[in-house]
Amino acid sequence: MTAPVHEPHTTADELPDPDEFLWQTWKAMDPPEGLRAEIIGGSIEVWPHGRVDHGVISSQLYQELTLYLVEQSSPYVVNACMYVVHDRKVWIPDAFVAPADVDGFVSEDDIGIEARCVALVAEVVALGHDGAQRDRDRKRQAYARAGIPVYVLIDPHDAHGTVTILSSPSPAEAVYAAETRVPYGTEVTIPEGPAKGLVIGEEITGPPRKR
């Protein structure tokens, strides 16, 4: 004879907070080498690192940002391969600018840097529909919601290549109020923050892509 099993009654107040559940699930993950995992919006997203062209542009952007900040004797530096954390969301941008002295800005458990100190974040769009939607839409909303002042989006897969500079975030609406989008081959300047005045052109992106 088997006794009936009664599931415990769970009230709405006892249900786990979705953001906390995702956060704890993400912290328990151990992605294989070569994969990255982020919490974007209400999902954990996992994908491989970018291809060679993605890495070349990311590296060139990193170098140009670093040189510019050094020339300006800025107290800010460029970071990569480090988490940016905001409100139980976590990202690994291709590059971001934050204070060299991060004392007071380290997230819980030393996981990463709090988004409130990040002055600029940059992404190079990866090949594929999902990668494009992630950087063009989901991360755009996430970074605006976190109040990151400048988002640099380099997109080799938009027509012959484009660079978009987004600024003036509105966290409540998760949008950037100001946007400048130019094709590869046209220079565009970062409008504010520690990297204000840095020109993004073919030295970083390379020439317009052939299609």
Side-chain angles (χ1 to χ4, degrees):
M1 177 177 173
T2 303
V5 176
H6 298 283
E7 294 293 336
H9 178 69
T10 303
T11 67
D13 292 338
E14 295 171 330
L15 291 174
D17 176 73
D19 289 338
E20 181 65 21
F21 176 77
L22 279 178
W23 177 251
Q24 295 301 331
T25 301
W26 176 85
K27 286 172 64 177
M29 292 178 65
D30 185 18
E33 185 176 353
L35 296 179
R36 62 172 71 183
E38 300 177 297
I39 302 176
I40 305 173
S43 302
I44 296 174
E45 301 194 24
V46 182
W47 66 93
H49 292 288
R51 294 164 34 151
V52 171
D53 57 347
H54 178 280
V56 168
I57 297 172
S58 298
S59 295
Q60 194 61 37
L61 176 63
Y62 183 97
Q63 293 175 30
E64 293 295 328
L65 277 168
T66 298
L67 288 172
Y68 190 81
L69 294 174
V70 170
E71 290 171 357
Q72 305 299 312
S73 299
S74 175
Y76 284 75
V77 297
V78 189
N79 298 277
C81 300
M82 187 184 301
Y83 291 114
V84 173
V85 181
H86 173 74
D87 194 24
R88 292 294 192 264
K89 305 295 186 292
V90 59
W91 316 292
I92 311 176
D94 289 318
F96 68 92
V97 174
D101 182 3
V102 295
D103 186 36
F105 298 116
V106 179
S107 67
E108 67 174 74
D109 300 333
D110 296 333
I111 285 174
I113 303 300
E114 293 179 354
R116 63 190 176 97
C117 77
V118 174
L120 176 149
V121 67
E123 300 283 3
V124 179
V125 175
L127 182 66
H129 175 76
D130 192 59
Q133 293 302 310
R134 179 171 54 247
D135 291 332
R136 294 172 187 167
D137 298 325
R138 298 193 294 275
K139 279 198 168 183
R140 175 176 177 151
Q141 294 176 7
Y143 293 150
R145 186 175 288 112
I148 296 176
V150 178
Y151 179 21
V152 177
L153 181 64
I154 299 177
D155 193 341
H157 311 292
D158 180 11
H160 297 282
T162 61
V163 179
T164 303
I165 307 292
L166 298 147
S167 58
S168 301
S170 177
E173 289 80 26
V175 298
Y176 283 96
E179 175 179 346
T180 302
R181 178 175 173 271
V182 301
Y184 274 24
T186 300
E187 295 183 339
V188 63
T189 303
I190 294 176
E192 62 180 86
K196 179 180 179 180
L198 174 67
V199 174
I200 297 179
E202 290 190 28
E203 294 81 5
I204 293 174
T205 66
R209 298 298 179 96
K210 296 180 180 180
R211 290 289 184 264

